[in-house]
Amino acid sequence: MTTTAFVGLPSVSQARQHRRTVTKLEGSLTSEADNGNQVVIAIADAMAALHAPHAKCKILHGNISDRAILLQKAADGIKGVLADFDYVSIDGDSVAEAPELKLFQSIHSLRNPGAACSPLEDAESLLYLVCWLRTFGINRAQRAGFVAGRILPILGWNEGTAVQIANQKRSHMSSDIAFHTFILRFMRPGPLHDLALDMYRVLFLHPGTFGTLQIDDEALATMENDNILAALLALPVTNGWRDLLALRNRFVNEIIRNILEIVAWHRDTALAILNSGMVSTAPMAATRPSAGPSLKHYGDEVPLAEPSKRPRH
């Protein structure tokens, strides 16, 4: 320390301590990836990196973007690294500051700035990143081939106020048909296309949830299933509306576990393709192998564990 190093040396009249913080990019951006399989690996590793600090310390990232996920060389080829922990928060605590970029923010974060979040918000942001990258291209070469001026629904994620963007995402994620109509059909085929579909189904089509839209008392009166009605009546009312997306919070741990399994499956598939020297652009099979994750995909035959404990449609 400057205050103690020169004690007893009266000839030193001015002693200063100079500090330097030197930083460098620990890896390359996803925009420098060679193919979609490399990005799938980076996304899967980022999801695991999101889960680890939350599992140990309840820390949430809060700022997922295309610059927060880096690629690094690894013993088995390549790996993803999560960066930019500038907006971290603690699960259950209010968020002091939200990032300016709304493109990848979750519906909840956009609608309720400063409100407490859950791990689902970071996972949802990761899904939006996958959709964006696969729609416009993962690297500069692919983006250069994108036809400017195309009118795409996904552009609404980056235009308007936070509430307007949230409403756009709420509409696009409201059902399997809506996701296909507004987002999936504009995405290039390949491993990221398949990853986006699986992440969407895990995050938004859990059997115990009922989509992303809002419902009023008039619509509730038409409900015939008492179990569904009881779950919906328990939701808080804001300006006369109940947010169906809030039902997802009852299954946070299960949804996170399922999404970790499915992204790990996609990672293993992508790594096997890279190590074999092939780069696949064809969609993978709709059903998962028996060794795959035990997820209830619409159209797949493998049910969720413990189905008796969950309300169903």
Side-chain angles (χ1 to χ4, degrees), residues 158-173:
N158 202 30
E159 300 172 351
T161 65
V163 172
Q164 290 171 333
I165 295 173
N167 290 340
Q168 285 284 321
K169 290 179 177 179
R170 191 187 292 276
S171 174
H172 298 165
M173 303 294 143

Side-chain angles (χ1 to χ4, degrees), residues 7-254:
V7 173
L9 299 177
S11 61
V12 180
S13 58
Q14 288 185 327
R16 295 186 177 91
Q17 183 182 43
H18 297 275
R19 299 183 181 184
R20 299 287 187 273
T21 301
V22 181
T23 61
K24 66 176 182 178
L25 198 60
E26 290 293 334
S28 58
L29 298 173
T30 54
S31 59
E32 298 177 31
D34 295 326
N35 54 69
N37 285 306
Q38 290 182 345
V39 180
V40 166
I41 291 172
I43 294 294
D45 289 346
M47 184 63 221
L50 287 171
H51 175 67
H54 181 266
K56 294 181 180 180
C57 308
K58 300 298 181 183
I59 292 176
L60 303 174
H61 187 278
N63 189 27
I64 296 298
S65 72
D66 54 344
R67 302 190 66 84
I69 301 173
L70 307 176
L71 293 168
Q72 281 187 347
K73 291 182 179 180
D76 59 353
I78 199 167
K79 68 177 181 179
V81 178
L82 188 64
D84 289 353
F85 286 82
D86 298 337
Y87 293 90
V88 295
S89 62
I90 303 300
D91 189 352
D93 291 350
S94 59
V95 179
E97 186 179 6
E100 293 182 5
L101 184 64
K102 300 177 177 60
L103 171 58
F104 305 117
Q105 287 186 43
S106 70
I107 297 171
H108 171 79
S109 298
L110 290 167
R111 291 286 303 183
N112 307 279
C117 295
S118 79
L120 296 178
E121 270 62 67
D122 281 339
E124 186 179 330
S125 293
L126 209 56
L127 166 63
Y128 297 144
L129 174 59
V130 173
C131 293
W132 191 266
L133 290 176
R134 200 55 197 159
T135 300
F136 297 103
I138 60 172
N139 53 37
R140 295 180 180 89
Q142 290 186 2
R143 292 171 188 172
F146 180 78
V147 179
R150 290 181 63 190
I151 300 176
L152 302 176
I154 197 173
L155 291 172
W157 296 3
N158 202 30
E159 300 172 351
T161 65
V163 172
Q164 290 171 333
I165 295 173
N167 290 340
Q168 285 284 321
K169 290 179 177 179
R170 191 187 292 276
S171 174
H172 298 165
M173 303 294 143
S174 61
S175 69
D176 209 359
I177 294 176
F179 185 68
H180 277 79
T181 301
F182 294 116
I183 303 301
L184 208 61
R185 73 186 183 96
F186 296 104
M187 293 171 63
R188 307 160 190 245
L192 280 172
H193 175 284
D194 303 316
L195 176 62
L197 177 58
D198 278 342
M199 290 180 70
Y200 165 74
R201 287 172 167 172
V202 174
L203 281 166
F204 291 102
L205 298 185
H206 186 282
T209 62
F210 307 99
T212 61
L213 298 180
Q214 295 174 305
I215 190 170
D216 58 12
D217 288 339
E218 183 178 350
L220 278 179
T222 65
M223 291 284 179
E224 297 180 357
N225 187 307
D226 290 339
N227 291 331
I228 295 177
L229 182 60
L232 297 180
L233 286 173
L235 293 175
V237 180
T238 304
N239 297 326
W241 296 90
R242 288 177 170 84
D243 188 356
L244 299 184
L245 186 60
L247 288 173
R248 194 174 63 170
N249 294 328
R250 301 164 60 193
F251 308 99
V252 172
N253 292 336
E254 179 183 302

